[in-house]
Amino acid sequence: MAMKQLSGIDASFLYMETPETPMHVAGLTLYDLPPGFTGSFHEHFKRFFAGRVHLIPIFGKKLAKSVFEIDHPGWVDAEPDLDWHIEGRRLPAPGTQRQLEELVGALHEERLDRTRPLWRFTVIEGLESGQVALYSKVHHAAIDGGAGMVITQALYDLTPEPRKVPPPEPKAPDRVPTIPERAVLGLHDIASNLIRQQLRLFEAAPKAAGQIADLLAPALKGGLSLPQLIAPKTPFNGTIGAARSYVARSVPLSEAKAVAKATGTTINDVVMAISSGALRAYLNRRRALPDAALVAFVPISLREAGNKDLNNQVFGMNCPLATNYGDPMKRLQIINRDSRSSKTVAGGLKELSPRDYTVLGAPMLLPGLMQLYGATRLADVAPNPVNVVISNNAGPPVPLYCAGAKVTALYPVSIPVHGVGVNITVQSYMDALDFGITADAASVPDIDRMGEDLVAAHLELRDAALGKPAPPPVAEKSALRVVAGSASAPKAVAAPKAAPKEPVRKPRPKTPAKPADAAAKATSKSAPKTPADKPARKPRAEPPAKVASDAAAKAPENPRARKPKPPAPK
């Protein structure tokens, strides 16, 4: 049984996992059922996926420990039990959006069984919209966002008719190495890893030193601002628990692109500005908005074009979110400026980012340190470099199908950790940006309010950048797809209706003065007037009574309006 050892970055997600911090990523996918479909979609999907599971090699692997656990574990072949890996759930009536989000939060709390391949799917039926949902969970030790797209390509089709997939090729059985052989192989792997990492460090050091020098030169001259190193404290920047809260919302991608084009920014800047507006509104309502700007950690992929390895190839940068400014355009401009500076800094340090590392006894040492960090609640008092994680992943621009069902939304579900209790991950799909907000339930118990703030922040930024609301998009069937600007958007963020216009009064034509009146006026002008001599001006007869009556006749009758009492008899 051949074993492929995990890299240090992949293994880190195993070491960081505790009961309070599960290290799996997930997705919530919504489907329109195939026309005329009857029966259980759970069983239908399980039969369909049985012919596709071999297209995702990591789904047929499980973890194996190294000898004496002196080095990172590895992947070995395993046969997945689809009856366990693909479970079915049904929402109780009425099957609302909030019920679905709460179920996703509960499923996301459960850690994966390390004695099995590290993935599990849950088919969810009983939605009031008539759709079905799929919650798909995979351990972060196996994939990152780029590798997740490989899974998407294996699982989905471009037409309602599923493509034919060739069966898996038979594998020759591997000889299981003896314990002494495993010990020798383990020591060999440790030695080779140490030598390989030292060589990579020596190769990268001169290039990194030059990049750091190039980075510091403009900073010393004032041409580049260094990133904010310490983030302010908020209610979700402390020790977290095991419970999760979750909300999913969508905004039109075309509107986000229009904002980016009109302001000379990028889609990533717009995503961060929308997230910034939502966080500002949420914290302001809780009276917990700090004076200093919040800081986001933004992952950056190191994956080269065409690389389909199912592992983690990520780096990251810190970017201030300008939450200390109320003007959405000002926030977007500052985010654009600071993100460019952060990308420059991250680009200079990328070569120093470890792709792999070896620590003797890491499988025993590092998990203990993580549990100690949570038990002592150090995150409550330690300074934080960031407040939130914001990740944006480009998804397919064309419709996808799975087992004949049309995909209507692809919502990410991600990882909160100690000190960073909110994670905002975005996936584009067709003409939508699908936001998934995953949080510690104790820190953010009212996460649905944050979802409303997200849609409101998009509307505010869109109107500020474009000057007028965009035409409403086509209504979606998705239970969760709350498209900003549409009739399904939350009432709390709907634009106020324009007040009815008052009828325009036509000016009364002036009647020519009579000669007697003119003579009287001339006489009155020649003699000085006293207050007593000044005639009282009669009030002008107002004609709006007729106009008002006409308007009242045209206006619909309000059944709850109180009718005037009839005049008393004389």
Side-chain angles (χ1 to χ4, degrees):
M1 181 166 52
M3 183 173 80
K4 181 182 179 182
Q5 190 179 38
L6 277 72
S7 70
I9 300 299
D10 292 344
S12 295
F13 290 102
L14 297 174
Y15 305 150
M16 290 190 295
E17 188 167 61
T18 67
E20 295 76 29
T21 57
M23 285 290 146
H24 48 252
V25 290
L28 175 63
T29 308
L30 298 181
Y31 302 105
D32 283 340
L33 287 171
F37 180 85
T38 57
S40 168
F41 189 79
H42 168 227
E43 295 297 330
H44 173 71
F45 176 83
K46 189 162 58 173
R47 289 190 299 269
F48 163 82
F49 194 68
R52 300 273 181 115
V53 66
H54 64 278
L55 299 179
I56 311 171
I58 200 66
F59 280 14
K61 305 284 185 181
K62 68 176 183 179
L63 290 173
K65 297 178 181 178
S66 62
V67 177
F68 306 124
E69 295 194 68
I70 57 177
D71 200 6
H72 307 314
W75 298 111
V76 295
D77 292 334
E79 188 67 29
D81 178 7
L82 295 187
D83 289 332
W84 184 89
H85 283 282
I86 303 177
E87 64 169 343
R89 296 285 185 96
R90 176 171 287 275
L91 292 177
T96 63
Q97 164 188 337
R98 194 71 205 116
Q99 287 177 292
L100 178 60
E101 292 170 340
E102 289 173 353
L103 176 58
V104 169
L107 292 171
H108 208 57
E109 299 167 8
E110 302 172 2
R111 290 193 292 173
L112 288 164
D113 183 355
R114 293 195 183 183
T115 65
R116 301 174 182 267
L118 294 181
W119 63 277
R120 199 173 194 190
F121 290 177
T122 303
V123 178
I124 305 170
E125 300 176 276
L127 278 68
E128 65 178 350
S129 64
Q131 296 178 296
V132 292
L134 175 68
Y135 169 77
S136 50
K137 175 165 57 179
V138 185
H139 203 283
H140 212 327
I143 63 167
D144 60 8
M149 291 306 299
V150 176
I151 297 176
T152 299
Q153 292 171 5
L155 183 61
Y156 297 116
D157 298 297
L158 298 177
T159 62
E161 183 67 26
R163 70 185 186 275
K164 294 184 178 180
V165 175
E169 297 180 359
K171 293 182 180 179
D174 294 328
R175 186 180 70 85
V176 179
T178 63
I179 292 180
E181 289 175 336
R182 289 180 60 192
V184 171
L185 291 173
L187 293 174
H188 175 267
D189 289 340
I190 292 174
S192 61
N193 286 343
L194 288 172
I195 294 173
R196 183 174 63 253
Q197 291 159 25
Q198 292 297 325
L199 290 175
R200 286 181 178 174
L201 182 61
F202 290 145
E203 292 173 358
K207 183 178 180 181
Q211 290 177 331
I212 292 174
D214 294 339
L215 174 67
L216 292 177
L220 295 174
K221 295 178 182 179
L224 177 68
S225 59
L226 292 177
Q228 183 177 331
L229 299 179
I230 300 297
K233 282 287 187 181
T234 72
F236 42 77
N237 295 130
T239 304
I240 67 173
R244 294 289 176 265
S245 56
Y246 179 75
V247 70
R249 292 291 184 270
S250 293
V251 300
L253 177 60
S254 57
E255 293 183 359
K257 288 181 177 179
V259 171
K261 184 177 180 180
T263 56
T265 57
T266 67
I267 289 293
N268 282 334
D269 295 334
V270 173
V271 166
M272 286 196 289
I274 293 172
S275 304
S276 170
L279 293 169
R280 174 185 167 84
Y282 179 81
L283 291 173
N284 202 26
R285 183 169 53 250
R286 292 182 60 174
R287 298 184 179 182
L289 180 66
D291 295 333
L294 269 63
V295 181
F297 175 78
V298 182
I300 301 174
S301 177
L302 300 177
R303 189 177 298 274
E304 298 178 357
N307 187 314
K308 297 184 178 181
D309 294 340
L310 295 183
N311 61 0
N312 288 276
Q313 301 180 36
V314 293
F315 189 52
M317 66 178 187
N318 294 358
C319 183
L321 293 176
T323 49
N324 49 343
Y325 290 92
D327 182 8
M329 291 296 292
K330 184 71 172 177
R331 286 198 301 268
L332 178 59
Q333 292 166 2
I334 294 175
I335 287 171
N336 173 256
R337 181 199 67 195
D338 291 347
S339 65
R340 284 189 280 112
S341 298
S342 297
K343 287 176 184 176
T344 303
V345 174
L349 301 178
K350 188 166 62 174
E351 293 299 326
L352 293 179
S353 173
R355 310 292 179 92
D356 198 1
Y357 67 88
T358 295
V359 177
L360 293 178
M364 292 184 294
L365 177 63
L366 297 183
L369 292 176
M370 288 304 302
Q371 291 179 0
L372 180 64
Y373 181 69
T376 56
R377 304 187 68 86
L378 284 176
D380 295 342
V381 295
N384 271 52
V386 299
N387 300 103
V388 61
V389 175
I390 301 177
S391 177
N392 181 26
N393 302 301
V398 296
L400 298 179
Y401 298 85
C402 179
K406 183 180 180 181
V407 177
T408 61
L410 294 169
Y411 294 106
V413 191
S414 202
I415 303 175
V417 295
H418 292 307
V420 186
V422 172
N423 186 303
I424 303 175
T425 305
V426 188
Q427 168 107 22
S428 64
Y429 174 58
M430 293 198 297
D431 185 35
L433 287 173
D434 293 337
F435 285 77
I437 308 179
T438 315
D440 169 48
S443 303
V444 189
D446 53 347
I447 198 168
D448 54 323
R449 299 292 302 275
M450 188 178 288
E452 295 172 3
D453 292 333
L454 187 82
V455 177
H458 165 73
L459 294 173
E460 181 186 38
L461 180 61
R462 180 200 68 184
D463 294 349
L466 304 181
K468 59 180 180 179
V474 179
E476 297 280 354
K477 291 184 179 180
S478 165
L480 294 182
R481 182 154 297 217
V482 182
V483 181
S486 67
S488 59
K491 294 181 180 179
V493 298
K497 295 182 180 179
K501 295 183 178 179
E502 295 184 1
V504 180
R505 299 175 183 174
K506 296 183 180 180
R508 176 183 294 179
K510 295 183 179 180
T511 56
K514 296 180 180 180
D517 295 340
K521 286 182 181 179
T523 306
S524 62
K525 286 182 181 179
S526 61
K529 289 186 178 180
T530 63
D533 297 330
K534 190 173 182 179
R537 182 177 294 177
K538 294 182 179 180
R540 180 181 295 178
E542 297 286 348
K546 182 179 180 182
V547 177
S549 62
D550 293 342
K554 294 180 181 179
E557 183 180 358
N558 183 0
R560 295 187 180 182
R562 183 175 296 177
K563 297 182 178 179
K565 295 181 179 180
K570 294 182 181 180

